[in-house]
Amino acid sequence: LIIGIDPGSAKCGYAVVDAGGARVALEVVQLGDLADRIARDHGGAEIEAICIGHATNSREIENLCRSRWPAIPVVIVDETNTTLDARRRYYEENPPRGLLRLLPRGLLVPSAPLDGYAALLIIERWQRARASN
């Protein structure tokens, strides 16, 4: 499994993909529940890496992961524009229906938080960077 975390001050985007690239989880986790959420995934399968976005609160989450799971590689990933890209991905997977499809996407408000999608994009960026090296 690969875990992606889009850190925030109160909540984090959280995504998990398996070795084949299939999405296992895409959610928003309260910051105080993050360690328990990672522990659940760690207890069920081997974790290849934890990818953390480089912005808000990333240092604290990095320290938590390195101290609690020292055998798992922790990677800091540039998360520039992941919010915009997450919005785009959300609407690719959840296209507007009815009259809403006529509105420009910039005027629509997603019905779900985008943090999980941002965490997924963080994983995908790390995978692309790793594949190109």
Side-chain angles (χ1 to χ4, degrees), residues 35 38 50 52 59-74:
I38 295 170
I50 299 174
I52 303 170
R59 186 66 59 205
E60 291 82 2
I61 293 171
E62 177 186 6
N63 291 338
L64 165 78
C65 293
R66 288 188 192 282
S67 66
R68 186 122 181 233
W69 301 282
I72 300 172
V74 175

Side-chain angles (χ1 to χ4, degrees), residues 87 90-91 94-96 100 103-114:
R87 183 181 185 89
Y90 173 84
Y91 283 119
N94 304 282
L100 291 177
L103 291 174
R105 301 267 164 95
L107 295 177
L108 298 173
V109 176
S111 61
L114 298 176

Side-chain angles (χ1 to χ4, degrees), residues 26-130:
L26 186 73
E27 58 196 71
V28 176
V29 177
Q30 294 300 313
L31 192 56
D33 299 331
L34 182 62
D36 291 338
R37 182 66 182 89
I38 295 170
R40 281 201 323 258
D41 286 321
H42 186 261
E46 184 176 332
I47 298 175
E48 181 180 346
I50 299 174
C51 304
I52 303 170
H54 77 294
T56 307
N57 223 14
S58 64
R59 186 66 59 205
E60 291 82 2
I61 293 171
E62 177 186 6
N63 291 338
L64 165 78
C65 293
R66 288 188 192 282
S67 66
R68 186 122 181 233
W69 301 282
I72 300 172
V74 175
V75 187
I76 302 301
V77 178
D78 181 4
E79 65 172 282
T80 304
N81 293 325
T82 53
T83 302
L84 293 173
D85 293 340
R87 183 181 185 89
R88 196 172 305 117
R89 174 71 66 87
Y90 173 84
Y91 283 119
E92 285 172 7
E93 295 182 9
N94 304 282
R97 304 202 185 285
L99 293 176
L100 291 177
R101 74 182 193 290
L102 301 175
L103 291 174
R105 301 267 164 95
L107 295 177
L108 298 173
V109 176
S111 61
L114 298 176
D115 306 89
Y117 283 94
L120 179 63
L121 292 168
I122 288 167
I123 293 172
E124 292 173 355
R125 285 183 181 184
W126 175 73
Q127 289 174 318
R128 278 193 304 276
R130 188 175 66 160

